[in-house]
Amino acid sequence: TTMSWCGGELVRATAPPSAGVGIDARTRRTSLMRRSVRIMHNCCMGDLLFQSPGKASCSGTSASANMKSSGMGPTDAILLTADLAVITSLTSINLGDNSLGDEGIEVIASAMKGSATCKLETLAAYNNGITEKGAKSVADYLHVTSSLMWIDLRNNNLATNGAQALAPAIAHNGSLTSIHLRGNNLGV
């Protein structure tokens, strides 16, 4: 059980059942990630810190979710998108060092693109096995967002075609100030 102050209230987050009860590691991890986002959504009026594997923090009216190295795959991304698309206070998410692949980044980008309330300013999706196909989904999101200022796609496998898919979206997007593409076999 984790106790945190949130908006003047003490919030209790109980860990999910142990593996001995028949819940596998992925289910427990996804449950913790969803709970961290849900607590962040419900309590973003004060300071909040939710511990691993998904860490959500909140201060005032902005929130961040750190899912770095949490073992997330495409299925986890699909489960997480329902919450990410409606949390109006989420401004930063770190999904780095996971195994999202193209499928995972596609559902995340699509959920944010389809959300009228998404105000994401920073997105880290480095080292996730994203290729040209995933880069096209990120490009589609970049075309419609006016809040994203920083994106980190380092150490994926975007290659030249992925960079070419991103280029028009980067040129079109008026808010993006920093994009990190090192380690993507861009041929430059």
Side-chain angles (χ1 to χ4, degrees), residues 3-175:
M3 303 295 282
S4 302
W5 281 101
C6 181
E9 295 182 34
L10 189 60
V11 175
R12 178 188 313 252
T14 306
S18 69
V21 182
I23 297 178
D24 66 8
R26 174 169 283 198
T27 302
R28 286 192 316 276
R29 182 179 64 249
T30 301
S31 176
L32 280 173
M33 288 185 294
R34 288 182 62 83
R35 182 175 289 123
S36 71
V37 173
R38 196 162 277 121
I39 289 171
M40 175 179 55
H41 174 64
N42 292 335
C43 299
C44 215
M45 297 307 290
D47 292 327
L48 171 69
L49 178 65
F50 188 83
Q51 296 302 320
S52 296
K55 189 182 287 185
S57 63
C58 184
S59 179
T61 58
S62 67
S64 65
N66 184 2
M67 304 300 180
K68 177 186 175 196
S69 302
S70 61
M72 285 183 70
T75 304
D76 301 310
I78 292 166
L79 294 172
L80 198 57
T81 57
D83 293 324
L84 295 178
V86 297
I87 299 174
T88 59
S89 58
L90 185 65
T91 58
S92 177
I93 187 164
N94 184 348
L95 301 167
D97 287 328
N98 283 296
S99 300
L100 294 174
D102 292 330
E103 184 182 354
I105 199 66
E106 285 172 354
V107 296
I108 289 169
S110 179
M112 293 184 304
K113 179 182 174 188
S115 170
T117 60
C118 183
K119 302 292 184 223
L120 199 65
E121 296 173 3
T122 65
L123 171 64
Y126 55 88
N127 197 24
N128 265 290
I130 301 167
T131 69
E132 172 188 352
K133 186 177 177 187
K136 289 178 182 176
S137 298
V138 173
D140 289 344
Y141 173 60
L142 287 175
H143 267 297
V144 299
T145 183
S146 60
S147 61
L148 193 67
M149 296 184 285
W150 185 91
I151 188 168
D152 186 346
L153 296 171
R154 290 175 292 140
N155 301 323
N156 283 291
N157 193 22
L158 303 181
T160 305
N161 289 339
Q164 288 173 339
L166 287 169
I170 293 168
H172 173 80
N173 182 293
S175 61

